[in-house]
């Protein structure tokens, strides 16, 4: 089992779902031999879903909704539906017009942000990171995460969207401080070995 496969098996329900969906989209988008037009169109639809609530854009639901996310009779979006919708639409924003793979297992949010700059952390990046800790609602967190993804896209830094989905579930479930601590640990690590990015691209979906 490769490192990336091991990362995937540690994911929760939402994380495994997002890992599978995003891995498949990325494979179809960035194949050496064939760029699937259906995947290109799906990414465009998902970008239109960014900033919206689950269910508002019906033609993205195949990439954001699973019957494992809810039980019969529920009407409001569940935490897993919120997390999957946000994670997959953020990936669509991140991958737009990029030839590199912007989904990579093991690339946690804090470390990805920190690796945007090899020296002292610039104030704009530090401010953007700190704003994640000021969010009082999931909508506000979603807004700040879109800003983070724009920075990562500009800097060609990949992110683990399966891991992010599980963290978004935990954030909603009342484990906000645990999620923020995980992001902070990644962001404030400064060992030389973390300045490079040698994590291999994912080569199989989570099982």
């Amino acid at each position: 089992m490769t490192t990336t496969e091991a990362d995937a098996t540690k994911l929760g329900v939402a994380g495994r779902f997002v890992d599978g969906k995003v891995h498949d989209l990325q494979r179809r988008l960035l194949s050496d031999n064939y760029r699937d037009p259906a995947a290109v169109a799906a990414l465009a639809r998902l970008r239109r879903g960014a900033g919206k609530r689950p269910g508002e854009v019906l033609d993205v639901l195949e990439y954001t909704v699973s019957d494992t996310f809810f039980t019969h009779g529920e009407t409001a979006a569940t935490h897993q539906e919120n997390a999957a919708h946000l994670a997959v639409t953020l990936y669509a924003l991140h991958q737009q017009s990029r030839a590199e793979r912007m989904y990579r297992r093991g690339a946690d949010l804090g470390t990805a942000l920190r690796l945007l700059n090899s020296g002292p952390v610039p104030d704009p990046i530090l401010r953007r990171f700190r704003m994640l800790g000021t969010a009082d609602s999931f909508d506000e967190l979603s807004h700040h995460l879109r800003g983070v993804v724009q920075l990562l896209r500009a800097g060609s830094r990949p992110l683990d969207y399966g891991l992010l989905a599980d963290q978004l579930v935990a954030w909603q479930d009342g484990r906000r401080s645990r999620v923020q601590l995980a992001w902070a640990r990644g962001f404030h690590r400064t060992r030389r070995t973390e300045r490079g990015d040698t994590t291999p691209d994912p080569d199989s979906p989570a099982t």
Side-chain angles (χ1 to χ4, degrees):
M1 181 180 291
T2 67
T3 300
T4 54
E5 288 170 340
D7 289 337
T9 61
K10 296 175 184 177
L11 296 173
V13 173
R16 289 194 298 272
F17 174 84
V18 169
D19 176 89
K21 293 295 184 181
V22 174
H23 170 84
D24 180 63
L25 280 170
Q26 185 164 261
R27 176 186 58 79
R28 291 159 57 198
L29 285 165
L30 301 178
S31 170
D32 292 335
N33 301 318
Y34 176 71
R35 189 177 189 189
D36 187 349
V40 176
L43 217 67
R45 296 197 304 273
L46 285 164
R47 287 195 296 272
R48 291 196 294 272
K52 296 182 172 61
R53 293 178 179 274
E56 288 188 26
V57 182
L58 294 180
D59 59 359
V60 304
L61 295 182
E62 66 182 289
Y63 296 99
T64 62
V65 171
S66 166
D67 59 6
T68 62
F69 292 169
F70 61 90
T71 57
H72 179 71
E74 287 183 292
T75 55
T78 66
H79 291 174
Q80 290 174 329
E81 286 172 328
N82 284 331
H85 176 87
L86 180 56
V88 179
T89 56
L90 286 177
Y91 166 73
L93 294 174
H94 198 167
Q95 190 64 65
Q96 184 180 15
S97 303
R98 305 302 307 186
E100 309 93 334
R101 289 170 169 81
M102 292 293 100
Y103 174 49
R104 183 169 292 166
R105 291 180 188 142
D108 70 272
L109 185 146
T111 301
L113 263 178
R114 182 65 185 87
L115 290 174
L116 285 172
N117 189 276
S118 60
V121 182
D123 284 343
I125 294 176
L126 186 59
R127 284 197 302 271
R128 183 67 69 178
F129 175 74
R130 287 174 173 168
M131 289 172 71
L132 295 174
T134 67
D136 292 324
S137 67
F138 191 74
D139 285 344
E140 187 178 354
L141 178 66
S142 301
H143 173 75
H144 293 323
L145 283 171
R146 287 197 298 276
V148 166
V149 165
Q150 288 170 355
L151 287 176
L152 296 178
R153 179 177 174 275
S156 299
R157 276 291 164 189
L159 186 62
D160 187 334
Y161 282 95
L163 173 60
L164 179 63
D166 280 345
Q167 290 174 332
L168 292 173
V169 172
W171 193 96
Q172 296 172 88
D173 283 346
R175 292 171 282 166
R176 185 179 308 185
S177 60
R178 184 179 300 181
V179 172
Q180 291 178 173
L181 178 60
W183 291 342
R185 285 172 172 169
F187 187 77
H188 290 291
R189 285 183 301 192
T190 56
R191 293 194 298 272
R192 289 177 61 85
T193 55
E194 290 162 351
R195 295 303 174 84
D197 190 354
T198 57
T199 305
D201 292 330
D203 52 12
S204 63
T207 56

